[in-house]
Amino acid sequence: MRNKAAAFLSRPGVAPFLFLSPLIALIGCLILIPVTGAVVNSLFRDVTFLPQKFVFFGNYISLFSDSGFTRAAVFTLFFTIVSVFTEMGLGILLALLLNEKLPGRGFLRVAVLIPWAIPVAVSGRVWELIYNFNYGFANSFLLKTGLMNSPVNWLGTEAGAFLALVLADAWKTAPFVAIIVLAGLQTIPDELYEQASIDGAGIFQKFVYITLPVISPVIIVALLFRTIDALRVFDIIFVLTGGGPGGSTASLSMFAYERFLSGDFGGGSAVSVILFLMAMSLSLIYLKAAKLSEALK
Amino acid sequence: MKLKMFILFSVLSLLFAGCAREKHDISFNVGGAPAEISVWQEVVREFTDTTGIRVKINIQPTDSDLRRQGLVLPLAAKRAEPDVFLMDIAWIGQFAASGWLAPVEISDKARAAFFRGVIETADTYDNRLIGLPVYIDGGLLYYRKDIVKKPPDSWEELVRICVENGRQGENPCFVWQGAQYEGLVCNFLEFALANGGGIIIEGNRADINTAENREALRFMAGLIHKHKVSPPDTYTSMREEESRIAFEESGALFQRNWPYAWGIYSQEGSPVKGKTGIAPLPGFKGKKGASTLGGWHIGISAFSKNKEAALRLVEHITSYDVQKRFAIKMGWNPGREDVYDDKDVLEASPHFKQLKEVFVNASARPNVPYYTRLSSVLQKHLNAALMMKTGAEEALEAAEKEINAIIREYEK
Amino acid sequence: MREKQFKKAMLGAGYVSAVIFCLLPFVYMLYISFIDAASLFSKQEAAFTLKNYVNVIKGENLHFLTYLKNSVVIALISSLVTVIIAGLGAYAVTRMDFKWKTAVLLGVLGVSFFPQISIAGYIFKMLAALGLLNTYTGLIFPYTAWALPLSLWILAGYFLSVPPDLDKAAKVDGAGNFQIMAYVILPVALPGIVTAFLLSFIFMFNEFLFALMFTSDEAARTVPVAIALFTGLHGQVPWGDIMAAAALTTAPIAALAAVFQKRIISGLTQGAVK
């Protein structure tokens, strides 16, 4: 029996299939099928209070002529770029810090995870309190230390609200980047650094020639997933600015959410498809840059 | 091996989850803070005791959008549950037009007990009654009666009083809700209607960029930037609670808010206890003031498998006794008009006399199925005008254009 | 020497800044949870109180501890299942030879681009048809499926960094696929596995949308939904209660992190290389 099983398993294509089947089954049923449904749905006028009809690209056309949509798309892209850049930078710095043999390392590791661990609904409210015009921590700190003379309406301007969101988002997600990059840093043996020091390399050179090459694949993974998540940003904006002021911080996800809730499932699906295309384009760019297929061979 | 464990576990949790549930006849979706839920549970328990119909209460978050989220999915999937649920007045139109509400069959005499204006504008669709108001709201003016002897009879006078009392700039005088959310539309509507304007939707056109609306919007922005009687964060963070607190803490003389704040101001520990008065909102010079209608209504799912039981629950909740209890215990404003004349109710809350007048004259928001989309377009443009990012005309023009595009999109 | 001192100073400054940056909002949150929240908005002095925690734990209709239990159990099971399934898949993708390798990786990535709201309706219908609404399993399935793409990619990345020589050595000793995975890859890629587990756990613990839509009461509801249940009818936010609830929510995760933080860091098992 055992030999028969072994023989079956070593037939080409069987083992990979077995190993991958739970994955494919779960993702297939719970994500691929709904996604296909959503894509097909986007070609229909699917509004709960109207008769359904096939409109082909009708939903997409009305989206592109909707100034609210184009604004949300621009904001989302801009937010993604700035936010991801910030959190990657902060995350890598944090990872480098965590990689050092410092006293109190354990404490730092737990501290670093806390922002990621707090639910966004809560941390959003905390940031709301911090930015609050009258009672917020930010204003009272600035006023007490004399750095400013009058309270600042942080969320009152488009730029202010944007930066406030980026900060709140980067605060939460830098830990995510940090721990992914950290585990990658851990695979680099200390001897390599010691050897490089003996050879006369400075901090910067060690980073560029030893650290970077090893953690590049890990950085790409973090970059990829952070970008995808940033494109779909919703919770923090919902709680902190509600899309304001003046509609300037509405993201595509929020846009889709409003459509779905008001009964326009076709429109909401169309926005989701556009989000998908944006995410896919960015991913392909990253992957080309990383030359992933080379690594796999 | 691992796969087996996984399957075993799933089956076990399925079985376990199944055992935990008790049988019930109908389910009822309700939202609110824990204290409010207790009252609902009491009401439902009574109902079960008298009729023997078992009701399961599903607790939802209070936030209007989150509640809608929890209802849209089962209704769009045509699920039988929840059988009975509460709806924000703002989205009854959407639910009714989507065919999700079963008619509420009560006698004409029973109908007459409720506020006629409310029933006709919000709860009627296609000439059928599809909901009943459980709790209603209308915008009010709060004022510091220890400083301002008589409430202003026009918006212009309100500004004048503020300037006279030296409350400008750093010391806010008049707080209202201007953040980018549904409350902003409620506030705008009150100013607009008080100027003879409003959101008019006739046939296939929306008329928003009217002279009256422009004036009203300009006035609102002017409160913040020109007269400086309203604080700069009016358009970023002022919602119900923020303005409620600001009225208590910042020494403001006036506030526009819903009636709920009155109960809080009457409690021990409130800095404005005994110093607050309420009045209907003023109009612009020579014109009548307006109040936007808010509140929660109860409806029966069109897909419910137990509509008779559901109807009886609805009747119980909107019965005189239960509504009276909501009024006295929770300080809620009942949807039944006759409760407002009750001796005990007036004793517990004398201000209900004034409230009744306000509600009789309150105006509903447009009851169109796409109202929520309309509102989000309006919100962002109104907010932009309050920010002074665009002028009033530009904002209303853009809003009108977008809303007309929505109407065209949704033509049958 | 100068370089060493400079480095020490930098590290010190870095450490302090990192701690302040990460913990400031958290400390603020704890602060609010221990004071009488009304004093936040008034000129009153803030008084220390445990009332908020008592409200949350004992609150009737809140069932907070039940929600916490649900969250922990669901997140634990889902993360475990996710890591196992992703591990199997990552092994296949990095250690086996078949043509559709890249397709799997990219496909799995691709479908994760859609926002949750767009597929929520379909999953809702599926769960309803299977009678899984408001059950643990009803959340475990979607959570696992949603967390698989990231876990697959993380694990694939780490498995790739395990030198193939180890494999070859094991094969020479007669090990089959399962054994290689269990005895060679696992120990070496442990930091990656723990990372994937931790990230999945935190995601599922804090997930809100699916939890709100697929559950209706404390039989399977999770903590993020519970936090949304505190607000009053007109947006009254009991800040003290919410922050206390948040602190109680963060506690299990912080505990998990404290337990695992060494594992995230463990270096290469020198022995395996030799």
Side-chain angles (χ1 to χ4, degrees):
Chain A
M1 256 309 283
R2 213 150 184 227
N3 283 330
K4 272 203 180 145
F8 177 67
L9 280 175
S10 36
R11 275 169 58 187
V14 171
F17 184 72
L18 271 182
F19 274 66
L20 282 169
S21 46
L23 188 102
I24 297 182
L26 261 174
I27 294 190
C29 290
L30 284 165
I31 305 190
L32 189 58
I33 294 182
V35 157
T36 320
V39 172
V40 168
N41 207 15
S42 71
L43 301 174
F44 285 79
R45 185 182 71 180
D46 183 7
V47 180
T48 56
F49 47 85
L50 290 173
Q52 223 188 52
K53 67 180 187 192
F54 182 73
V55 289
F56 209 32
F57 286 133
N59 286 327
Y60 294 94
I61 296 177
S62 55
L63 276 179
F64 281 109
S65 39
D66 183 346
S67 64
F69 171 77
T70 35
R71 221 170 153 200
V74 168
F75 167 79
T76 308
L77 264 175
F78 201 47
F79 176 83
T80 302
I81 295 174
V82 176
S83 180
V84 172
F85 185 72
T86 313
E87 64 212 28
M88 289 300 295
L90 281 174
I92 294 179
L93 282 175
L94 279 172
L96 289 171
L97 191 67
L98 284 168
N99 198 29
E100 297 290 330
K101 286 187 184 53
L102 293 165
R105 243 171 130 181
F107 176 73
L108 186 62
R109 276 178 233 147
V110 179
V112 159
L113 269 178
I114 296 273
W116 182 251
I118 303 181
V120 182
V122 172
S123 56
R125 291 208 174 274
V126 176
W127 283 104
E128 199 186 339
L129 275 180
I130 294 180
Y131 290 129
N132 189 298
F133 183 66
N134 291 314
Y135 316 103
F137 178 79
N139 276 344
S140 47
F141 178 75
L142 285 174
L143 286 173
K144 281 207 183 103
T145 57
L147 284 166
M148 291 266 183
N149 286 327
S150 57
V152 178
N153 194 2
W154 300 101
L155 301 174
T157 57
E158 291 186 5
F162 180 83
L163 289 174
L165 283 171
V166 169
L167 178 60
D169 192 56
W171 175 81
K172 180 174 172 57
T173 54
F176 173 86
V177 176
I179 89 166
I180 291 188
V181 172
L182 179 62
L185 282 173
Q186 289 298 305
T187 62
I188 307 176
D190 292 327
E191 297 89 53
L192 272 175
Y193 288 118
E194 284 163 22
Q195 191 62 40
S197 286
I198 296 173
D199 288 345
I203 297 181
F204 187 66
Q205 284 159 312
K206 278 190 255 186
F207 181 73
V208 171
Y209 292 110
I210 302 179
T211 320
L212 262 185
V214 176
I215 61 172
S216 291
V218 160
I219 289 187
I220 296 286
V221 172
L223 197 63
L224 200 57
F225 281 92
R226 279 313 315 150
T227 306
I228 296 170
D229 272 347
L231 279 173
R232 291 185 303 198
V233 65
F234 179 83
D235 292 311
I236 185 74
I237 301 186
F238 192 70
V239 177
L240 202 55
T241 64
S248 58
T249 60
S251 70
L252 279 178
S253 247
M254 283 185 78
F255 200 80
Y257 176 81
E258 269 172 23
R259 285 297 173 96
F260 277 112
L261 277 205
S262 53
D264 187 350
F265 293 154
S269 301
V271 178
S272 311
V273 170
I274 294 179
L275 250 176
F276 164 79
L277 291 171
M278 283 169 78
M280 186 154 80
S281 325
L282 279 172
S283 310
L284 286 175
I285 296 177
Y286 287 157
L287 293 178
K288 269 263 149 62
K291 299 198 186 64
L292 186 70
S293 32
E294 305 295 328
L296 273 179
K297 290 222 177 69
Chain B
M1 223 284 282
K2 290 175 182 123
L3 199 57
K4 265 195 234 161
M5 290 287 295
F6 181 82
I7 297 178
L8 183 64
F9 205 104
S10 321
V11 173
L12 278 177
S13 35
L14 246 177
L15 290 175
F16 183 87
C19 288
R21 270 177 290 197
E22 293 162 10
K23 288 253 160 259
H24 57 270
D25 297 307
I26 52 174
S27 62
F28 177 33
N29 270 24
V30 121
E36 294 156 8
I37 303 285
S38 307
V39 177
W40 282 110
Q41 285 175 328
E42 194 187 299
V43 168
V44 165
R45 226 182 344 253
E46 259 174 32
F47 175 73
T48 308
D49 288 340
T50 26
T51 61
I53 301 175
R54 293 159 302 182
V55 180
K56 177 171 187 294
I57 293 186
N58 292 326
I59 305 176
Q60 288 190 290
T62 338
D63 179 80
S64 178
D65 278 338
L66 293 179
R67 275 214 246 183
R68 184 165 38 135
Q69 210 177 304
L71 288 171
V72 166
L73 240 52
L75 288 171
K78 300 192 170 51
R79 304 272 304 157
E81 300 203 342
D83 302 82
V84 181
F85 44 82
L86 293 177
M87 303 173 281
D88 189 331
I89 192 176
W91 23 275
I92 296 188
Q94 177 193 336
F95 278 39
S98 306
W100 293 342
L101 299 175
V104 175
E105 270 136 19
I106 57 173
S107 64
D108 284 341
K109 180 162 169 279
R111 256 178 100 131
F114 297 89
F115 283 96
R116 215 188 70 182
V118 176
I119 297 261
E120 277 172 11
T121 48
D123 296 305
T124 312
Y125 182 77
D126 240 2
N127 277 321
R128 304 207 351 239
L129 188 67
I130 39 87
L132 284 174
V134 173
Y135 163 82
I136 59 176
D137 250 340
L140 283 180
L141 183 72
Y142 290 80
Y143 66 100
R144 287 288 296 270
K145 66 180 185 193
D146 55 332
I147 302 177
V148 180
K149 297 306 163 199
K150 194 175 71 74
D153 53 358
S154 72
W155 287 115
E156 292 88 347
E157 194 187 326
L158 183 144
V159 175
R160 196 182 51 79
I161 297 179
C162 285
V163 176
E164 258 173 25
N165 276 283
R167 293 204 64 96
Q168 286 178 287
E170 295 254 314
N171 305 314
C173 183
F174 173 38
V175 287
W176 44 281
Q177 297 85 48
Q180 186 184 308
Y181 78 121
E182 180 66 26
L184 170 56
V185 178
C186 296
N187 276 249
F188 169 71
L189 213 51
E190 280 156 4
F191 284 103
L193 287 168
N195 199 31
I199 303 173
I200 304 157
I201 302 183
E202 294 270 308
N204 274 346
R205 260 203 68 83
D207 251 320
I208 305 195
N209 189 14
T210 60
E212 294 87 3
N213 288 352
R214 288 198 290 269
E215 272 169 28
L217 186 54
R218 248 174 245 135
F219 179 77
M220 287 164 80
L223 288 170
I224 304 172
H225 299 279
K226 182 163 136 204
H227 304 291
K228 299 205 204 304
V229 299
S230 296
D233 60 342
T234 302
Y235 57 83
T236 51
S237 38
M238 282 292 172
R239 292 166 201 242
E240 283 82 5
E241 276 293 278
E242 288 77 3
S243 41
R244 196 259 304 165
I245 292 172
F247 185 71
E248 279 181 313
E249 303 288 340
S250 70
L253 299 177
F254 299 105
Q255 181 197 188
R256 178 271 175 208
N257 210 334
W258 309 100
Y260 86 103
W262 178 257
I264 301 180
Y265 293 157
S266 315
Q267 281 172 9
E268 275 310 317
S270 170
V272 295
K273 183 174 156 81
K275 303 185 191 160
T276 321
I278 54 174
L281 291 163
F284 286 92
K285 225 176 203 94
K287 303 192 188 145
K288 197 159 169 268
S291 172
T292 306
L293 204 55
W296 287 84
H297 295 226
I298 195 167
I300 302 174
S301 167
F303 315 108
S304 163
K305 293 213 165 67
N306 212 338
K307 295 202 178 81
E308 300 78 38
L311 182 60
R312 291 180 70 181
L313 179 62
V314 169
E315 284 172 337
H316 176 74
I317 291 177
T318 54
S319 67
Y320 191 91
D321 286 322
V322 175
Q323 291 268 289
K324 180 171 158 175
R325 197 179 327 161
F326 281 152
I328 298 184
K329 252 196 166 159
M330 300 300 301
W332 284 1
N333 319 313
R336 279 181 84 107
E337 193 173 350
D338 49 5
V339 176
Y340 287 77
D341 298 322
D342 185 285
K343 197 167 49 74
D344 301 319
V345 170
L346 283 174
E347 201 184 303
S349 320
H351 67 291
F352 266 36
K353 198 143 164 269
Q354 275 167 306
L355 282 187
K356 182 175 158 183
E357 275 312 303
V358 172
F359 295 153
V360 166
N361 294 316
S363 321
R365 286 157 276 178
N367 193 15
V368 288
Y370 49 87
Y371 174 73
T372 41
R373 246 188 100 180
L374 185 157
S375 174
S376 45
V377 166
L378 202 50
Q379 286 168 33
K380 69 177 184 211
H381 289 292
L382 290 175
N383 195 262
L386 290 182
M387 241 175 103
M388 292 292 237
K389 178 158 184 284
T390 60
E393 170 146 23
E394 215 186 307
L396 291 174
E397 169 81 47
E400 187 180 282
K401 219 170 121 221
E402 271 188 63
I403 293 176
N404 279 320
I406 295 177
I407 298 179
R408 271 197 311 272
E409 210 184 303
Y410 287 155
E411 262 163 0
K412 280 214 166 31
Chain C
M1 262 333 268
R2 289 298 297 276
E3 187 184 298
K4 264 218 154 91
Q5 279 175 332
F6 176 69
K7 192 169 184 208
K8 262 197 175 157
M10 288 288 288
L11 284 179
Y15 185 89
V16 171
S17 325
V19 171
I20 295 181
F21 176 75
C22 291
L23 290 186
L24 186 67
F26 180 66
V27 169
Y28 192 43
M29 182 181 104
L30 285 179
Y31 168 71
I32 299 175
S33 75
F34 281 115
I35 62 167
D36 184 2
S39 63
L40 265 181
F41 301 112
S42 64
K43 317 284 192 303
Q44 300 168 254
E45 270 300 306
F48 177 86
T49 173
L50 284 177
K51 189 171 54 118
N52 299 321
Y53 284 93
V54 173
N55 280 351
V56 171
I57 297 181
K58 283 223 168 72
E60 48 161 318
N61 293 327
L62 272 179
H63 307 285
F64 191 76
L65 292 178
T66 315
Y67 286 164
L68 202 56
K69 177 190 75 149
N70 292 344
S71 271
V72 171
V73 174
I74 292 178
L76 264 178
I77 299 179
S78 309
S79 311
L80 222 64
V81 173
T82 303
V83 169
I84 293 173
I85 297 184
L88 288 171
Y91 182 83
V93 164
T94 57
R95 288 297 191 267
M96 298 183 188
D97 227 341
F98 54 101
K99 290 195 208 81
W100 34 288
K101 230 190 266 195
T102 337
V104 166
L105 273 177
L106 290 181
V108 151
L109 186 67
V111 295
S112 73
F113 290 164
F114 277 75
Q116 279 179 300
I117 183 81
S118 57
I119 63 173
Y122 295 96
I123 300 186
F124 181 85
K125 285 199 192 126
M126 282 184 213
L127 293 177
L130 291 170
L132 287 177
L133 283 177
N134 207 31
T135 62
Y136 278 14
T137 328
L139 280 181
I140 292 178
F141 273 129
Y143 281 178
T144 310
W146 199 255
L148 274 174
L150 177 65
S151 302
L152 178 68
W153 274 71
I154 293 182
L155 290 180
Y158 289 125
F159 286 9
L160 273 180
S161 69
V162 175
D165 312 314
L166 291 175
D167 284 42
K168 292 213 186 84
K171 275 209 182 103
V172 163
D173 288 344
N177 275 323
F178 269 118
Q179 283 139 322
I180 299 183
M181 210 182 85
Y183 297 115
V184 174
I185 311 272
L186 250 170
V188 174
L190 195 61
I193 295 180
V194 170
T195 305
F197 177 83
L198 210 52
L199 288 177
S200 299
F201 183 88
I202 294 178
F203 158 72
M204 292 154 184
F205 203 75
N206 292 338
E207 199 282 330
F208 181 72
L209 202 80
F210 286 170
L212 177 68
M213 296 205 220
F214 303 154
T215 66
S216 49
D217 65 24
E218 68 271 12
R221 237 180 208 170
T222 58
V223 164
V225 182
I227 294 185
L229 296 178
F230 280 101
T231 21
L233 197 54
H234 282 277
Q236 296 97 316
V237 177
W239 291 101
D241 291 353
I242 289 195
M243 296 305 164
L248 289 172
T249 312
T250 320
I253 301 189
L256 209 68
V259 164
F260 280 118
Q261 47 93 3
K262 272 225 174 63
R263 287 273 161 264
I264 303 178
I265 304 312
S266 63
L268 268 175
T269 333
Q270 314 291 106
V273 182
K274 302 225 170 60

